Amino acid sequence: MTDHSTRKRRIVVLISGGGSNLQSFIDACADGTLNADVVAVISNKAGVKGLERAANVGIPNIILDHNSFESRAEFDQSLGDVIESFSPDLIILAGFMRILTPQFVNRFIGQLMNIHPSLLPKYPGLHTHQRAIDAGDSEAGATVHFVTAELDGGPAIVQAQVPVLKNDSADALATRVLEFEHQIYPLAAEWFCQGRIELRDGDVLFDNQLLPVEGVNIEIHEKT
Ligand code: GAR
């Protein structure tokens, strides 16, 4: 049942690394642009900066090392159980570099979002910026999408286009794209929290209208 109340939504964030997208959620919750709380951060890797970011603001942060599980299925079962213990409305994959089983995805279908640093369906997987440069693309970017069982393949909610500059390196492009990621991801989450977007039968509805494949088209400006 759709919940249109204005209560603060509960968000669990999954990370594997630096957590700059996590930080954008922490900041958006703090300044009220996102009507939610990050109630837990879970990392499959120990010692990453994202865990520190969570600890700095008193958010429970949990390490669930996939290496200590016999199989992907067992890891995903435990991950799902930990997530569920926080009763989240929304689960955010923020640089979480693990392939999830269909069982996990289906357990949380419609509540799972990911950000990927390319203009999906272009360049699922790794090395997206280098691939965009090598292909001579004039635009790169990032996509927020609902997660389905297909890797980096769920339907788009919003994309940010970022120009590829002459002589761009993959690192320089990645840094510029990240700035945009930090804007579109909390925004997509806020739409979710407001009950404006939902995954229905594999499509994304925004205010009950079917979104085009590239998701919402909004103009985002680079922060100066
Ligand atoms: C981000 O660029 C995110 O889009 C990417 O990992 C980076 C994590 O950065 N995610 C993927 O490639 C998922 N397929 P962060 O840890 O600083 O948020």
Side-chain angles (χ1 to χ4, degrees):
M1 198 177 72
T2 311
D3 177 359
H4 289 296
S5 74
T6 56
R7 88 179 153 79
K8 273 194 174 186
R9 299 309 201 251
R10 298 171 61 80
I11 298 180
V12 168
V13 182
L14 308 189
I15 61 166
S16 302
S20 70
N21 277 291
L22 162 66
Q23 190 65 51
S24 74
F25 274 78
I26 293 172
D27 295 345
C29 290
D31 73 19
T33 49
L34 177 53
N35 185 30
D37 289 314
V38 176
V39 294
V41 171
I42 305 170
S43 174
N44 66 313
K45 285 197 175 152
V48 296
K49 186 160 176 210
L51 287 165
E52 215 176 283
R53 294 179 192 271
N56 285 344
V57 290
I59 296 171
N61 52 96
I62 296 148
I63 301 160
L64 202 64
D65 184 350
H66 58 273
N67 293 311
S68 42
F69 290 84
E70 291 275 302
S71 66
R72 193 177 286 281
E74 282 173 50
F75 172 73
D76 278 10
Q77 179 66 40
S78 289
L79 178 63
D81 293 347
V82 175
I83 291 171
E84 216 159 74
S85 73
F86 289 96
S87 309
D89 298 288
L90 178 62
I91 302 144
I92 289 293
L93 309 184
F96 185 67
M97 305 306 270
R98 290 279 306 165
I99 293 173
L100 295 162
T101 55
Q103 287 75 9
F104 178 92
V105 172
N106 290 329
R107 184 170 174 182
F108 298 106
I109 195 87
Q111 291 180 281
L112 265 180
M113 271 185 204
N114 182 40
I115 191 159
H116 183 73
S118 78
L119 298 173
L120 289 172
K122 270 190 165 180
Y123 313 131
L126 299 174
H127 311 301
T128 54
H129 304 297
Q130 192 60 55
R131 287 156 75 196
I133 291 169
D134 291 347
D137 293 356
S138 57
E139 281 193 321
T143 307
V144 178
H145 64 96
F146 277 114
V147 176
T148 60
E150 189 191 343
L151 174 68
D152 296 326
I157 298 165
V158 58
Q159 280 190 332
Q161 273 104 1
V162 180
V164 179
L165 305 181
K166 204 165 166 253
N167 301 325
D168 240 344
S169 67
D171 281 352
L173 182 57
T175 303
R176 284 207 319 285
V177 170
L178 255 187
E179 293 263 318
F180 287 79
E181 293 186 31
H182 300 159
Q183 297 183 57
I184 60 172
Y185 209 1
L187 180 65
E190 176 58 10
W191 290 334
F192 182 90
C193 292
Q194 292 171 343
R196 296 185 70 186
I197 52 167
E198 65 171 307
L199 179 69
R200 199 187 294 168
D201 301 330
D203 292 318
V204 182
L205 300 188
F206 187 92
D207 292 341
N208 284 317
Q209 305 289 318
L210 193 64
L211 279 183
V213 282
E214 71 277 11
V216 178
N217 202 340
I218 46 162
E219 209 166 305
I220 298 265
H221 299 283
E222 221 161 335
K223 281 184 186 159
T224 46

